[in-house]
Amino acid sequence: ASGGLYVYATSIPSSEDTSPGVESSSRLQGILVNGVQYVTIQNIEAKYANVSSGSAGIYLINNTSNDIVNGVVADYNWGGGIEVIDQAGNSTISNVVIENSQAYYNGLDGIGVGEWGSGGTTQVLNLQILNNIAHHNSQDASSDFTAGIHPATSGAYTSYAVNGCLVSGNTT
């Protein structure tokens, strides 16, 4: 197996199923973007990512830059809804825009940005979190570091810098 998920339909999917989509609740992430720049994720729902810590509906990790998340819904995920994370511990997250999206009923953050893993020297530069709705997140009572919108890191990691972060027009 190639590790990819492929979907095939013999006709227009919306005519076969009244709630179209792919449900893959045993997946760690609904959408994973690892070390890729200039990606736009738009007008899609990421739901039920459901394995363990580190899961998210939409997960952008490691040297993420110039990426846009726009008009998505991330809901009912075991971990975060929309997460932009440096797992390597020495990466830069820059020029990422998360806008016009919704994150709700997720176990950890609705929208989270930061460092998680090795405690290196992460930098977050020119992050924009604009006009989103995040409610009923942080459902996992075992985690102390969660929020509706959380542009920060766990208290365990201290070499972490945020510069030029704009959080505006959001509802939590």
Side-chain angles (χ1 to χ4, degrees):
S2 68
L5 173 65
Y6 300 91
V7 178
Y8 173 79
T10 57
S11 64
I12 299 171
S14 62
S15 68
E16 292 183 16
D17 188 350
T18 58
S19 58
V22 176
E23 184 175 330
S24 57
S25 62
S26 65
R27 301 296 300 178
L28 190 57
Q29 294 91 20
I31 297 171
L32 171 63
V33 177
N34 186 352
V36 180
Q37 294 78 39
Y38 297 96
V39 171
T40 298
I41 301 170
Q42 185 168 314
N43 301 330
I44 194 167
E45 182 176 20
K47 189 174 193 171
Y48 303 133
N50 186 15
V51 175
S52 63
S53 180
S55 68
I58 297 173
Y59 206 50
L60 289 78
I61 63 172
N62 302 329
N63 289 313
T64 298
S65 66
N66 302 296
D67 294 334
I68 298 170
V69 177
N70 181 17
V72 306
V73 175
D75 54 338
Y76 298 97
N77 296 292
W78 187 94
I82 301 167
E83 297 283 345
V84 183
I85 301 294
D86 171 24
Q87 286 185 327
N90 296 308
S91 296
T92 298
I93 297 167
S94 63
N95 303 314
V96 173
V97 177
I98 302 169
E99 62 185 351
N100 308 314
S101 295
Q102 299 180 46
Y104 52 88
Y105 291 105
N106 296 292
L108 301 176
D109 301 325
I111 298 171
V113 178
E115 176 184 56
W116 180 62
S118 58
T121 55
T122 298
Q123 292 187 45
V124 177
L125 308 171
N126 304 318
L127 167 72
Q128 296 183 50
I129 302 175
L130 307 170
N131 306 313
N132 299 290
I133 299 171
H135 63 84
H136 293 93
N137 295 291
S138 305
Q139 300 292 314
D140 180 0
S142 69
S143 180
D144 295 334
F145 302 102
T146 62
I149 297 175
H150 191 206
T153 189
S154 139
Y157 310 118
T158 56
S159 296
Y160 178 75
V162 178
N163 294 298
C165 180
L166 175 61
V167 180
S168 178
N170 299 288
T171 303
T172 59

